[in-house]
Amino acid sequence: MESLDLPLIWAGLICFAIFAYVVLDGFDLGVGILSPVLEPGIERDQAINSIAPFWDGNETWLVMGGGGLLAVFPLAYSIILPATYPLMIAMLLGLVFRGAAFEFRWRDPAHQPLWDLVINVGSTVAALAQGITIGAILQGIKVENNAYAGGWLDWLSPFSVLTGMAVVIGYALLGATWLIRKTEGGCQRHAHRLAYWLAIATVLALLAVSAATPFLNNEYWRRWFTMPQVLWTAQVPLMVAVCTAVLFWSLRKGRELLPFLMALALFLLGFIGLCISIYPNMIPPSITLWEAAAPRDSQLFLLVGAVFIIPVILGYTGWAYWVFRGKVGTEGYH
């Protein structure tokens, strides 16, 4: 046990939880973002029903990632949270109102347009806040004496707004490709048309963020472009090109599952790129994983719990997706 690099193991687990959240909650936020452009009635009902059994369970991974950060990297938590308070508040309010709107949409059909609007606004605000948070962390957080030393709006910059918009567009692509897989008829055809244009927008947004990131910090440039690291990091844009080509090919051929998988692959590659840029820092540019970590005994104790909890979460999540596999109808899920 003494030889285990517990901060690195925990960083991997938290990254896994965050990516699982992006994968699972990303597509249902995307469906909410797209809801205004779907026809009221059959199209919109199918879209909402396709995520109704999953949206609340998907957010388990957000709790896992945030709780893990607090427990295992308390210094990072105590700095990142004050640096992004407005974003965290906006995200949580968006998720809360969105969750309530899911319930009221079927309970109160007389005001269904209102609840559809709340779902859209809540989904968009949550996605935008998450993307801006990524940009705020990437551009660096001002720290003095192991405490946040910046201002209330230090997170706001052209780069963080760019990352925020990129996440909104990317989630919309996940939502469109999910609808291709889960719906049929007019809703599926509409989602297919949307997915094509959203794929173009997502790739352009990914390229813009990737081009801007190395100029934020000299260390980012070094990690991406100096030898011998470049031999490894160059594989990421190459894989992005391959996944992009397969995505457009699958959309042209009318595939149902492959576009969704390729959209997820683009998110995975973007996430890998983020990790390459900031590692070994937990809070760029100055606090590393090891400096931010809790005492070793605490990490080890929590790791034992995680070994049991994570498989349980994976098990019931997989079971839910298995039970509700296949196409959806238009009837309410209550």
Side-chain angles (χ1 to χ4, degrees):
M1 286 292 185
E2 290 298 325
S3 63
L4 291 177
D5 190 340
L6 292 179
L8 190 59
I9 292 171
W10 266 109
L13 290 175
I14 291 173
C15 285
F16 172 76
I18 293 172
F19 184 69
Y21 171 78
V22 169
V23 167
L24 298 177
D25 210 34
F27 72 77
D28 72 55
L29 286 172
V31 171
I33 292 167
L34 292 176
S35 61
V37 300
L38 300 174
E39 288 293 329
I42 294 176
E43 273 195 20
R44 198 172 295 174
D45 289 348
Q46 275 191 322
I48 298 299
N49 283 340
S50 74
I51 59 175
F54 311 115
W55 69 268
D56 45 359
N58 291 342
E59 291 170 7
T60 303
W61 295 104
L62 182 63
V63 177
M64 176 79 185
L69 186 66
L70 170 62
V72 183
F73 298 102
L75 178 60
Y77 187 91
S78 69
I79 293 170
I80 292 173
L81 201 64
T84 58
Y85 269 140
L87 299 171
M88 295 298 103
I89 292 169
M91 179 187 73
L92 293 174
L93 286 175
L95 293 175
V96 167
F97 280 101
R98 174 176 171 269
F102 271 116
E103 304 299 323
F104 281 107
R105 187 178 191 275
W106 298 108
R107 303 283 187 178
D108 182 24
H111 298 94
Q112 196 171 86
L114 171 63
W115 303 123
D116 287 346
L117 177 63
V118 174
I119 289 172
N120 171 249
V121 173
S123 300
T124 304
V125 167
L128 185 64
Q130 291 170 18
I132 293 177
T133 299
I134 293 171
I137 294 172
L138 265 175
Q139 69 191 15
I141 296 175
K142 186 178 180 181
V143 179
E144 292 179 5
N145 300 319
N146 286 339
Y148 177 57
W152 182 250
L153 293 175
D154 278 15
W155 51 268
L156 184 61
S157 70
F159 178 76
S160 66
V161 172
L162 173 63
T163 58
M165 294 303 300
V167 169
V168 171
I169 295 168
Y171 279 179
L173 174 63
L174 285 177
T177 54
W178 171 259
L179 292 178
I180 291 173
R181 172 64 177 156
K182 293 293 288 184
T183 64
E184 52 193 352
C187 185
Q188 185 187 57
R189 290 190 294 272
H190 194 174
H192 192 276
R193 294 192 299 271
L194 290 171
Y196 179 81
W197 294 107
L198 287 168
I200 295 174
T202 298
V203 171
L204 291 176
L206 184 59
L207 290 174
V209 172
S210 300
T213 298
F215 295 97
L216 295 173
N217 189 306
N218 287 335
E219 282 297 303
Y220 295 167
W221 181 275
R222 182 186 64 78
R223 288 169 193 149
W224 277 99
F225 297 114
T226 59
M227 292 290 290
Q229 293 98 314
V230 70
L231 299 176
W232 299 101
T233 57
Q235 307 310 309
V236 176
L238 288 175
M239 290 303 300
V240 167
V242 171
C243 291
T244 299
V246 175
L247 173 59
F248 283 107
W249 176 85
S250 63
L251 288 172
R252 261 197 329 270
K253 294 294 183 179
R255 300 291 193 270
E256 292 191 346
L257 178 59
L258 192 55
F260 182 63
L261 296 179
M262 288 301 101
L264 291 179
L266 288 176
F267 266 87
L268 175 60
L269 291 167
F271 194 74
I272 290 172
L274 170 65
C275 293
I276 290 172
S277 295
I278 67 174
Y279 180 81
N281 290 324
M282 192 75 179
I283 302 176
S286 56
I287 296 181
T288 67
L289 294 173
W290 299 271
E291 292 169 338
R296 183 177 178 84
D297 288 345
S298 298
Q299 295 179 63
L300 190 58
F301 175 77
L302 292 164
L303 184 61
V304 173
V307 168
F308 291 97
I309 292 173
I310 291 176
V312 171
I313 299 174
L314 287 170
Y316 74 65
T317 300
W319 175 250
Y321 279 87
W322 173 255
V323 169
F324 293 100
R325 65 192 183 278
K327 302 292 186 179
V328 297
T330 59
E331 67 279 359
Y333 72 104
H334 285 294

